[in-house]
Every structure is written in C-alpha cells, then in structure tokens.
Amino acid sequence: MSRPLTALLAAIATLCLPGCGDDVPAGDDPHRRTIEIYTEIIPAVATYQRSDLASEESLEDVVYVVEREGVSISLEVQIDVVNALSDWAEIRFIDELDEAIDSGEPHQPVRANSVLVGLGAVPDGPTSVTVMADRYEYADELITFELELSRRGGEWQLERPIEGDRVTLN
C-alpha cells in the first residue's frame, strides 16, 4: 500500500474513532439518551438533602414527575423511565400539579409519602449536558437544580456533588 493511501486511511480511522467509542451513545434508539439522563436525574433530585430518603435503596414513596414549562417528554420516554426506576420507587408522570399536591393543607405540600420533581429539556451534546430540574417543596417554595452530566464508561453520570438553590415564589 502506498504511503499517501496509508496516511489517508489512518486519518479517516482517527476521525471515525470518536463516534465508535464507549462514551458516545448508541444511535439505535433516539430516546435512549434522554431516558438514561432522566433516570440519573430523578433519584438525585428526589433525595437531595432528604436524609429520610437518601439512605434507602428503594422508596415506598411515590415520585411524581412533571414537565417543566416548555418541555414535552414523549410517552415512550416516560414509560421507559418508569420501568428503569421501578426497583427504586413508584414513578408517576403527571399532567397537572393537583395530582401530586395536597391542596387541603395550608402550604399545599406534596401528598404524604411523595416527592414532586420537575424535569427540564435534555439538550444536544454527545458526552456532556446541563439539564434544569426542580423539586416542589410547598406552594411558595422550590429547590432548583442546574445538573451537569457526563457520559463515561458508557453511562450518564451526574457531576457530584449536586447543589440546589431554594427559591421562594411570590
């Protein structure tokens, strides 16, 4: 094989390697990436600063999940996230906050034995992304998160430690 042809083939192989590595998500299922990211985010947000939940391998609590404003999570993604986290907690995607809120209580907390997580959109990015999320505490209080995730070893992982900002509404 001639030297120029060998160099050209080596250059093409080098350019193709990033697409073949373990840290680049597979292209078979267009939703797989989003499912893996949400599956990593939901437990982290639900258990953040909740010592009553963080130490448990599985929760008896219901984790309600709602789309943040302007976000649409497909039914396929919702089903796969529910299935992926079924050993950890009961996950329920909801359309209306009333499904998760105890409106009979003065501060309108989340229903007993429950947590309410809001998920933002998953932006493009082959090996790192930032996703917004929040956890509803009361009618006038949220904890917001700007979560950075990286794909390493074939899995999406949160950059630790995550930090939430308590936001008072009104």
Side-chain angles (χ1 to χ4, degrees), residues 36-110:
E36 290 173 359
I37 290 170
Y38 284 154
T39 300
E40 186 72 18
I41 288 173
I42 291 170
V45 170
T47 61
Y48 176 76
Q49 293 186 340
R50 292 279 307 261
S51 58
D52 60 321
L53 301 179
S55 63
E56 298 181 35
E57 287 185 25
S58 65
L59 302 180
E60 292 181 16
D61 302 50
V62 173
V63 178
Y64 292 101
V65 179
V66 66
E67 301 162 332
R68 293 183 87 207
E69 190 172 326
V71 176
S72 179
I73 301 172
S74 74
L75 185 57
E76 294 148 320
V77 169
Q78 291 179 25
I79 291 169
D80 283 348
V81 168
V82 167
N83 290 335
L85 293 173
S86 66
D87 288 341
W88 175 70
E90 180 179 344
I91 307 294
R92 290 186 196 165
F93 279 83
I94 60 173
D95 296 319
E96 301 292 328
L97 289 180
D98 292 346
E99 297 175 56
I101 306 301
D102 187 349
S103 56
E105 292 292 321
H107 294 288
Q108 298 182 346
V110 180

